[in-house]
């Protein structure tokens, strides 16, 4: 397995040249002392940590996995030490408000760490990542007393956390959950129930684990309207902050999974655990919704992180592996064969990887900036626009960056040929680890329903118009630039088509509610291809400017060539999705359930 | 994991109603006593064996894997017993000529067993499957003495075999192999070298293992022209058939792989092993080429087999899992939610699975019939046509059925949501086991070069014309059938386009040899979509006839609906491949190797 090297040049390009971080930070208010120099410093130490501390843990984590014995979970060698090193860097509280004990920096900075550390080892990164979830729950919904009790040690990394939603009979349909909360006389609640798929629900890394749990208060309404959010520590916390008694929160088992084996996925039993309500009774999903955009963008980053790791591995191998001669003449006369990067089809795979990876980076980082604007922006119109675009593009990013991420990781294996299937090279692990990203935090199908149903149709098309206007403006602003026309002409056509497809599906949905679901994933994928086209057109624009300014170190040439590749060889797929989205519900609804197989 | 159930109704449909086995068998000469009744009997016992004996071994094989200890390989519990049961059924010699001790039946019959047993457990099936390779080598290239020495016990299953091609530094580029053969005074050879990725190279199932090995005779020319094929047993065989001394063939290790863990993938060391030349010196690839079509179709069947297993699992789960309500009103009022098969996007996934799985079955079974014709056909024109179409479509089947097979297995996991990622449900195992199919027996890229370079351009377009004429004839034969026009109109357009793309790429390739490689995989995928369209149009035709005859048990309705789904929602992807194939080599060749990343 080639060593992970943080793609600092491309991260720099996206943050500074595409997204103009300097201007971005200048437009934020009360976002700590954020500036580009501080961002660079965080990036540098994050890159070093990812490369030197986390990357070496990835393969060993997969091989050793987590062990379970009578309620105890043992994590892989080195995981604990790296976690505490991470926390010691202060990164657990990077985006937590200063008033709550954090650094109060905009989340877009933390997202670059999520990418780099995630490429190095997503399984490891989940222990710190999931600790972030109860922290956010407390920040968004906790009382001062709750914050004081739990936040400080979560921020130092003395404790970690877990997010507890899923039950065996309900995943996407969270409204069916059964975990029961009974109110006690002291205002706390007693929780009883079983949750599954709880990442880091139990581990041997921290002294305490703070669980954020969705449960139903006795007598609450059925469905989503009766769900409350609670916080419950594995060990009770005394008033002086010391650990008290065991709180009856036990891991019943850990799952054997396809990948992410270094991360413990626990069955958690709450056998009369004392828990504290966050926010109001029956309004638990309100607090959850506040985390949803960032959690989904964070999962989109898993697609990006896996893609980057797979691209790096494949590129290194393609340059080293000697196999057959180039059809246009020997390129490596001193060797027994040419490196396989001379072969056009190997290059097609690498260019596909590069186009999706760098496109994902541009999208995820841009959305993270928009989250910054919604939190720290002072210009009301900009905040509104950021909210609208985030609403629209968060499910697109989650769905599209993970679906293409899975494709890119598989291409990485494919470049390795048979050697990719062997564990020692690490390529098949990236495929296995990344595969879950299209499933958890809402499957691609759930993202697609959120996009077309809630966001597009639900806003009467308004959210889509906000973005298509932006694209239109970009295209219109480049009509005089001969070099940009090949990009803007295509983009502009797709932009128009996006509205037309929406009208078409919307019209049909008035007659048949199944039309929305039938169109949904194709609509999401079409949206993803157009969104990437917008970003690749912008990247081509920046690259062309840099080249015109005399910059010729190859980076901008490559950026431009990748934009061209994207437009000529990947973007045409959008049309198949356009057709699929408009093919009609009949294509999927005409069979009875018992007619699918005989 | 839902129990595997052989899809006998669909297999019957393909063999009898689509491919008219009765007429097919009638047109063969010297193909044993083949007839439809015998086929049915073999199918029935194969289905029973797959369901009852093999399927229960699949998950345990993945969990236990193979163990390696000082040269010894231990296979999973039950593997050995099932192997001997398989052999006792006489299936190892099903298609071996009667004169060589087999049953002499046409290979198309054996292919149905390959599918069913492969769906049940591909890892297990490789032990018998790989034994078939040295059997074929002996049948095709062995002397009478060699056949008598090795074949009988290979056919009874007392011994198994292994196919030994790959070395660490050469996979696709077999011409680089280094394993050395030195001729002895008695006419035998002494082999020295190391091979990797040898499936079943060592195991504890049979007393002896017969290796078919590619090696280079001392002083032979470099490259493909100096490769010879040898046969070498693990234990020497005395003239009376009893086992003699150990032949210095040792497993150095077994690989840890992504999947197929029940099958031992061995590093094999030949430390002065006595070996026997098959055929002539330096003409080893000639014998290999005779096996290649069937080996590639056999690997295409892995795509089909994995797809079928994933479809069955997903369909069962979709009918059982309750989650959310249908948007058009509650469908399961007595339950807490509706089964997820009510949701259009779940159906889109199931229909995609169904369309690719059944399309693959039609293609693989048809090609197997064409192989029958090339071996047993009496009509010279038909034999020639069968050879041409096989030449063209074998790489298409290998590439397309495995690429879509991988997609279908991933959709199977996706339908399961988070539960698909957990090992106990078996869905992620199907993904892992099937993933290698796009790699071994020639990667998709290698198939694509074979298709466009060797087969299409290499024949001056002739092989393609043979098939497109056939499609044209089919379409022309249905112009008066109103119900068929929606299919034939589209198919006929694509058929014409296939020729145009070929002309376009061929024209450009005159100027730049990289054009062929740049276009290759997109060309293969386009070819696959058109080939499936031809088969789905035929299946729609049969279904419509059956429905017109008053048949209304739902099977034909489903067949027709699946054909429509394929044409409306999957076939449009062909256009993206058409564009990709014609996008030009510049899209992939303009970067220097060091410009892919900075």
């Amino acid at each position: 397995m080639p060593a992970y090297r943080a793609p600092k040049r491309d991260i720099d390009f996206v943050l500074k040249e595409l997204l103009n971080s300097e201007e971005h930070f200048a437009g934020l208010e009360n976002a700590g002392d954020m500036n580009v120099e501080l961002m660079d410093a965080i990036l540098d130490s994050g890159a070093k940590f990812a490369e030197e501390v986390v990357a070496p843990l990835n393969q060993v984590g997969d091989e050793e996995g987590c062990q379970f014995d009578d309620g105890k979970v043992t994590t892989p060698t080195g995981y604990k030490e790296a976690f505490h090193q991470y926390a010691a860097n202060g990164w657990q509280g990077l985006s937590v408000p200063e008033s709550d004990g954090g650094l109060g920096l905009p989340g877009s900075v933390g997202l670059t760490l999520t990418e780099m550390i995630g490429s190095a080892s997503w399984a490891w990164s989940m222990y710190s990542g999931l600790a972030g979830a109860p922290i956010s729950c407390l920040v968004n919904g906790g009382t001062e007393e709750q914050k004081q009790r739990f936040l400080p040690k979560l921020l130092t990394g003395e404790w970690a956390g877990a997010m507890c939603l899923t039950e065996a009979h309900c995943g996407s349909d969270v409204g069916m959950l059964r975990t029961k909360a009974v109110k006690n006389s002291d205002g706390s609640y007693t929780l009883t129930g079983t949750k599954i798929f709880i990442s880091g629900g139990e581990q041997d890394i921290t002294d305490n684990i703070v669980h954020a749990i969705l449960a139903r208060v006795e007598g609450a309404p059925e469905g989503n309207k009766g769900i409350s959010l609670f916080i419950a520590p594995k060990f009770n916390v005394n008033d002086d902050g010391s650990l008290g008694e065991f709180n009856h929160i036990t891991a019943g088992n850990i799952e054997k999974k396809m990948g992410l084996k270094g991360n413990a996925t626990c069955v958690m039993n709450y056998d009369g655990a004392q828990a504290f309500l966050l926010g109001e009774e029956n309004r638990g999903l309100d607090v959850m919704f506040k985390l949803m955009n960032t959690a989904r963008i964070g999962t989109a980053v898993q697609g990006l992180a896996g893609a980057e790791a797979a691209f790096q591995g494949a590129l290194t191998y393609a340059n080293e592996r000697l196999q057959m001669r180039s059809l246009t003449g020997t390129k490596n006369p001193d060797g027994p064969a040419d490196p396989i990067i001379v072969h056009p089809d190997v290059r097609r795979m690498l260019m596909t990887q590069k186009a999706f990876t760098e496109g994902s980076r541009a999208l995820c980082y841009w959305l993270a900036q928009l989250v910054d604007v919604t939190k720290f922006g002072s210009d009301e119109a900009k905040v509104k626009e950021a909210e609208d675009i985030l609403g629209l593009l968060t499910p697109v990013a989650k769905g599209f960056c993970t679906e293409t991420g899975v494709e890119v990781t598989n291409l990485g294996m494919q470049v390795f040929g048979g050697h990719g299937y062997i564990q020692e090279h690490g390529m098949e692990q990236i495929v296995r680890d990344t595969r879950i990203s299209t499933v958890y935090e809402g499957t691609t199908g759930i993202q697609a329903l959120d996009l077309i149903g809630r966001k597009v149709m639900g806003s009467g098309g308004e959210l889509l118009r906000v973005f298509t206007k932006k694209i239109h403006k970009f295209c219109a602003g480049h009509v005089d630039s001969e070099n940009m026309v090949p990009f803007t002409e295509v983009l502009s056509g797709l932009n128009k088509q996006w509205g037309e497809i929406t009208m078409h599906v919307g019209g049909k949905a008035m007659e048949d509610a199944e039309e929305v679901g039938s169109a949904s994933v194709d609509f999401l994928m079409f949206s993803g291809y157009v969104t990437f086209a917008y970003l690749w057109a912008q990247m081509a624009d920046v690259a062309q400017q840099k080249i015109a300014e005399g910059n010729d170190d190859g980076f901008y040439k490559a950026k431009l060539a990748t934009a061209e590749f994207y437009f000529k060889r990947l973007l045409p797929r959008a049309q198949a999705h356009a057709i699929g989205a408009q093919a009609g519900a009949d294509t999927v609804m005409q069979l009875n359930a018992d007619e699918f197989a005989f």
Side-chain angles (χ1 to χ4, degrees), chain A:
Chain A
M1 183 61 200
Y4 171 70
R5 207 170 52 87
K8 285 176 14 181
R9 178 74 191 267
D10 199 62
I11 290 176
D12 246 34
F13 168 81
V14 171
L15 289 175
K16 294 177 185 169
E17 296 168 24
L18 179 69
L19 298 177
N20 201 341
S21 287
E22 191 170 347
E23 196 182 304
H24 169 67
F25 293 139
L28 306 180
E29 278 187 355
N30 305 316
D33 295 321
M34 199 58 219
N35 57 53
V36 170
E37 291 67 36
L38 178 56
M39 177 180 84
D40 283 342
I42 294 172
L43 268 175
D44 279 346
S45 45
K48 197 171 146 68
F49 182 76
E51 292 170 356
E52 296 175 10
V53 179
V54 181
L57 302 177
N58 197 40
Q59 227 168 344
V60 68
D62 187 60
E63 279 159 24
E64 290 184 13
C66 291
Q67 308 305 320
F68 181 82
D69 183 26
D70 193 23
K72 303 265 178 240
V73 170
T74 309
T75 58
T77 308
Y79 268 43
K80 179 176 181 163
E81 294 72 17
F83 180 91
H84 292 294
Q85 213 173 323
Y86 174 91
N89 286 333
W91 291 333
Q92 205 62 282
L94 209 60
S95 308
V96 171
E98 289 179 274
S99 56
D100 290 325
L103 297 175
L105 301 180
S108 63
V109 181
L111 202 81
T112 59
L113 299 185
T114 305
E115 183 206 322
M116 293 187 291
I117 295 172
S119 282
S121 178
W122 195 266
W124 179 86
S125 77
M126 288 174 78
Y127 289 107
S128 51
L130 268 300
I135 292 173
S136 296
C137 290
L138 282 160
V139 168
N140 284 297
T143 63
E144 271 317 301
E145 197 273 334
Q146 288 170 339
K147 287 179 180 179
Q148 278 170 30
R149 190 175 296 260
F150 296 111
L151 274 182
K153 292 194 177 175
L154 281 167
L155 294 180
T156 58
E158 276 175 88
W159 302 345
M163 206 65 213
C164 314
L165 286 65
T166 302
E167 299 179 9
H169 61 287
C170 66
S172 300
D173 194 357
V174 70
M176 287 168 74
L177 69 79
R178 293 180 195 145
T179 297
K180 198 174 71 176
V182 178
K183 194 165 184 175
N184 305 320
S185 54
D186 66 355
S188 72
Y189 291 75
T190 298
L191 284 195
T192 318
T194 298
K195 296 277 178 182
I196 65 166
F197 299 167
I198 309 307
S199 303
E202 179 57 70
Q203 32 83 350
D204 59 352
I205 292 174
T206 57
D207 297 337
N208 204 3
I209 301 171
V210 178
H211 295 246
I213 306 156
L214 290 184
R216 194 179 298 284
V217 175
E218 224 182 6
E222 281 190 10
N224 290 348
K225 290 176 183 169
I227 295 177
S228 305
L229 176 62
F230 296 90
I231 203 112
K234 176 178 163 189
F235 291 101
N236 287 319
V237 180
N238 299 321
D239 289 343
D240 66 357
S242 62
L243 291 187
E245 283 181 1
F246 178 63
N247 193 23
H248 310 289
I249 297 179
T250 323
N253 206 348
I254 59 174
E255 306 287 353
K256 289 186 183 169
K257 309 187 299 290
M258 182 187 212
L260 298 181
K261 298 189 183 201
N263 196 276
T265 305
C266 305
V267 176
M268 295 305 303
N269 297 315
Y270 305 93
D271 303 314
Q274 187 186 27
F276 308 94
L277 182 70
L278 281 184
E280 292 175 42
E281 267 191 17
N282 302 334
R283 303 297 292 270
L285 293 182
D286 293 357
V287 182
M288 291 298 302
F289 268 115
K290 289 190 187 160
L291 317 183
M292 201 184 283
N293 277 347
T294 45
R296 291 187 167 179
I297 297 167
T299 309
V301 173
Q302 183 179 7
L304 160 62
E308 173 66 32
F311 174 55
Q312 288 193 17
L315 180 58
T316 303
Y317 190 75
N319 274 299
E320 288 172 357
R321 173 76 170 173
L322 306 180
Q323 208 78 168
M324 297 190 282
R325 293 295 183 186
S326 162
L327 288 178
T328 50
T330 295
K331 301 291 184 289
N332 175 35
D334 299 336
D338 290 336
I340 60 173
I341 199 168
V342 305
H343 304 308
D345 188 59
V346 172
R347 285 169 164 258
R348 178 191 59 81
M349 294 192 273
L350 293 170
M351 290 299 289
T352 303
Q353 292 189 295
K354 187 171 164 68
F356 280 138
T357 305
E358 296 176 5
S360 288
R361 182 171 295 124
L363 177 56
C364 293
Y365 286 24
W366 177 41
L367 295 190
Q369 278 196 350
L370 295 181
V371 174
D372 291 351
V373 173
T374 64
K375 286 191 178 166
F376 302 106
S378 50
D379 179 332
E380 216 170 292
K382 282 189 181 165
V383 171
K384 176 72 171 64
E385 189 193 74
E387 280 168 351
D388 286 349
I389 294 179
L390 263 182
L392 182 79
L393 294 187
T394 297
V396 173
K398 163 61 169 83
F400 195 71
C401 297
T402 59
E403 290 286 343
T404 58
V406 169
E407 176 177 346
V408 169
T409 60
N410 273 289
L411 286 173
M413 258 188 82
Q414 194 71 18
V415 169
F416 270 69
H419 296 273
Y421 200 64
I422 303 301
Q423 289 181 8
E424 72 177 280
H425 300 291
M427 297 304 286
E428 60 85 39
Q429 184 189 343
I430 304 173
V431 174
R432 288 186 288 106
D433 287 354
T434 308
R435 181 62 186 84
I436 190 63
S437 65
T438 69
V439 175
Y440 61 13
E441 201 53 45
T443 63
T444 305
I446 295 289
Q447 302 300 327
L449 282 179
D450 179 49
L451 171 67
I452 192 170
R454 232 176 119 246
K455 303 299 174 54
V456 175
M457 306 289 172
S459 73
E462 178 56 23
L463 296 197
L464 181 60
R465 274 192 298 277
V466 170
F467 186 42
T468 53
K469 271 186 199 162
K470 209 173 169 70
I471 296 179
H472 177 74
K473 199 172 150 194
F474 173 79
C475 294
H478 288 82
V479 281
D480 297 331
S481 161
E482 201 186 323
N483 292 333
M484 281 302 290
V485 168
F487 299 106
T488 51
E489 236 174 37
V490 175
L491 176 58
S492 171
L494 287 165
N495 198 38
K496 193 159 158 277
Q497 194 183 5
W498 203 357
E500 290 161 2
I501 296 170
T502 306
M503 292 293 289
H504 178 93
V505 176
K508 290 212 288 187
M510 310 266 237
E511 285 158 30
D512 181 359
E514 307 292 18
E515 290 288 343
V516 171
S518 165
S520 58
V521 167
D522 276 316
F523 186 84
L524 180 143
M525 294 303 286
F526 180 88
S527 305
Y529 279 108
V530 180
T531 304
F532 270 37
Y534 170 61
L535 291 160
W536 269 116
Q538 287 181 74
M539 291 195 272
D541 189 29
V542 174
Q544 285 176 349
Q545 287 170 32
K546 293 285 173 182
I547 292 169
E549 287 164 14
N551 204 313
D552 60 355
D553 74 345
F555 179 87
Y556 300 104
K557 172 190 160 193
K559 204 46 107 175
L560 193 54
T562 311
E564 286 172 13
F565 179 87
Y566 179 78
F567 269 75
K568 289 187 181 170
R569 300 202 65 159
L570 299 176
L571 190 52
R573 299 181 187 178
Q575 293 312 318
H577 294 295
I579 295 170
Q582 297 172 96
D586 268 3
T587 56
V588 293
M589 298 310 295
Q590 54 180 304
L591 295 187
N592 298 326
D594 61 358
E595 289 172 339
F596 279 76
F598 285 81

